[in-house]
């Protein structure tokens, strides 16, 4: 707090020490995972009213059958069969900007000038962080709701050694049947392959503590240069899955719903609509507001699996 602020009696909460508050906020910031578990289509939307059609060919369109039936006489063709036609089926999933999160703050000119901390920049920084948190939570909830497979509810607090690993093996088996490529090391994510077809599992800190106890869990090499896990998003691998930890995933009534999938199964987009700062009429105040839009869809539910896990006794 500045000397002048003390003399005129400005409220202390308007002059929080910048040095410790920045460190505290950095430690409390929640790590978002949505950029790593879904494909970003933001650049493909020229207008906020645009829609992206994600079309997938259904396997029901393809069938294989014997044209000749078997014949008892060796070396001879069987009885001529019939041709079976399957109806061509295409799944059309539409990605649109359905959510419009916004944030607005008023700044008192006098209060800003009498304190030695740039509140305006700090508050705007926190507002943008919470907008990103909104998107992260929205994407995770969309994926959980669309999961094609739900595993039997699991109680991690009473589980025996190896039970958590077995649960994740079940999830990995579902993803492998959906085309996921198992990984044995986080470094497998480097290069063009990325995470699109690599199986991942998202957990929160309450669930992470049980995974850390599993001997099969391989911690991430923090010396790796890839910022994705250097920032703490990726914790390691287990059961051929990449383990991502998100503090944005809640524990509700002692239960955390974890989910696993592949990146190419989920699609999202985020667009900024407005970001402005303006003076308020007949006052010594400035008003800042930002409006965004976001959308998320799951095009391949078979590649998403979820499980309700009891993580607190």
């Amino acid at each position: 707090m500045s000397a002048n602020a003390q003399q005129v009696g400005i409220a202390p909460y308007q002059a929080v020490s910048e040095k410790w508050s920045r460190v505290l906020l950095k430690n409390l910031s929640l790590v978002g995972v949505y950029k790593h578990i879904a494909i970003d289509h933001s650049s493909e939307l020229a207008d906020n009213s645009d829609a992206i059609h994600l079309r997938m060919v259904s396997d029901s369109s393809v069938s294989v059958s014997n044209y000749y039936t078997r014949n008892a006489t060796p070396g001879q063709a069987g009885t001529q069969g019939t041709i079976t036609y399957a109806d061509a089926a295409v799944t059309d999933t539409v990605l649109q900007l359905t959510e419009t999160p916004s944030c607005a703050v008023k700044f008192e000119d006098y209060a800003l000038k009498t304190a030695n901390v740039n509140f305006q920049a700090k508050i705007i920084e926190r507002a943008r962080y919470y907008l990103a948190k909104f998107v992260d939570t929205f994407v995770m909830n969309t994926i959980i709701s669309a999961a094609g497979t739900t595993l039997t509810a699991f109680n991690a607090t009473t589980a025996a050694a190896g039970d958590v690993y077995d649960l994740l093996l079940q999830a990995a088996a579902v993803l492998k049947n959906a085309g996921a490529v198992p990984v044995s090391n986080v470094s497998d994510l480097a290069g063009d392959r990325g995470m699109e077809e690599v199986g991942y599992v998202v957990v929160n800190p309450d669930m992470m503590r049980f995974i850390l106890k599993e001997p099969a869990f391989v911690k991430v090499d923090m010396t790796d240069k890839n910022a994705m896990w250097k920032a703490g998003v990726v914790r390691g691998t287990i059961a051929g899955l990449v383990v991502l930890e998100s503090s944005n995933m809640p524990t509700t009534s002692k239960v955390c719903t974890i989910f696993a999938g592949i990146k190419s199964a989920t699609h999202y987009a985020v667009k900024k609509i407005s970001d402005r700062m303006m003076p308020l009429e007949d006052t010594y105040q400035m008003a800042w507001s930002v409006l965004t839009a976001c959308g998320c869809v799951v095009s391949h539910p078979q590649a998403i699996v979820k499980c309700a896990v009891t993580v607190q006794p």
Side-chain angles (χ1 to χ4, degrees):
M1 165 177 261
S2 66
N4 185 62
Q6 290 178 329
Q7 292 175 5
V8 298
I10 298 297
Y13 69 85
Q14 292 183 335
V16 179
S17 171
E18 182 178 2
K19 289 184 179 180
W20 69 260
S21 66
R22 287 193 66 183
V23 174
L24 179 63
L25 289 176
K26 181 179 179 181
N27 291 337
L28 292 178
S29 292
L30 308 179
V31 178
V33 299
Y34 70 95
K35 293 182 179 179
H36 311 298
I37 60 176
I39 297 177
D40 186 3
H41 293 271
S42 302
S43 61
E44 301 171 37
L45 294 171
D47 242 345
N48 292 316
S49 59
D50 285 350
I52 297 175
H53 290 263
L54 305 161
R55 294 185 172 92
M56 294 182 61
V57 176
S58 174
D59 286 343
S60 63
S61 303
V62 182
S63 63
V64 178
S65 59
N66 283 321
Y67 181 68
Y68 284 98
T69 59
R70 292 185 176 276
N71 191 290
T73 305
Q76 294 185 12
T79 305
Q80 181 174 311
T82 58
I83 300 176
T84 302
Y85 292 94
D87 293 328
V90 177
T91 302
D92 185 18
T93 304
V94 182
L95 173 61
Q96 291 180 293
L97 300 175
T98 59
E99 308 297 308
T100 51
S102 64
C103 191
V105 185
K106 284 192 304 183
F107 299 98
E108 175 66 52
D109 289 355
Y110 187 73
L112 292 175
K113 293 298 184 182
T114 54
N116 62 354
V117 178
N118 188 351
F119 285 107
Q120 182 173 303
K122 301 305 176 189
I123 291 176
I124 290 177
E125 177 185 349
R126 297 307 294 168
R128 287 176 174 151
Y129 155 72
Y130 277 105
L131 285 172
K133 177 184 176 182
F134 178 95
V135 176
D136 192 44
T137 305
F138 168 63
V139 171
M140 286 195 293
N141 288 339
T142 300
I143 295 175
I144 291 173
S145 298
T149 301
T150 302
L151 300 180
T152 303
F154 180 81
N155 191 334
T157 64
T158 59
D163 285 352
V164 172
Y165 178 52
D166 183 63
L167 172 69
L168 297 177
L169 280 175
Q170 294 179 52
V174 174
L175 300 188
K176 192 172 182 180
N177 289 332
V181 180
V183 295
S184 57
N185 195 292
V186 178
S187 61
D188 292 344
L189 301 182
D192 296 334
R193 189 168 105 182
M195 274 191 67
E196 289 199 15
E197 303 301 337
V198 170
Y200 67 79
V201 59
V202 179
V203 302
N204 71 359
D206 289 333
M207 179 62 181
M208 191 67 220
R209 64 192 179 99
F210 295 103
I211 295 178
L212 288 170
K213 297 177 183 178
E214 290 291 337
F217 176 69
V218 180
K219 291 184 179 180
V220 66
D221 180 8
M222 295 304 291
T223 61
D224 200 292
K225 296 180 180 179
N226 192 315
M228 184 173 72
W229 50 83
K230 200 171 184 179
V233 176
V234 174
R235 298 299 304 276
T237 64
I238 188 171
L241 302 174
V242 178
V243 180
L244 298 96
E245 182 180 12
S246 172
S247 302
N248 291 335
M249 176 183 285
T251 293
T252 306
S253 300
K254 302 181 180 182
V255 174
C256 169
T257 300
I258 67 172
F259 66 93
I262 57 178
K263 187 173 183 178
S264 58
T266 306
H267 310 261
Y268 79 96
V270 182
K271 299 285 284 186
K272 182 186 291 184
I273 298 176
S274 176
D275 188 341
R276 58 187 180 178
M277 179 79 70
M278 66 176 70
L280 295 179
E281 188 176 359
D282 297 330
T283 67
Y284 293 106
Q285 292 180 326
M286 295 290 290
W288 172 78
S289 61
V290 61
L291 175 63
T292 58
C294 61
C296 179
V297 294
V298 173
S299 62
H300 192 18
Q302 295 82 0
I304 304 294
V305 55
K306 65 180 178 181
C307 181
V309 181
T310 300
V311 292
Q312 294 177 355

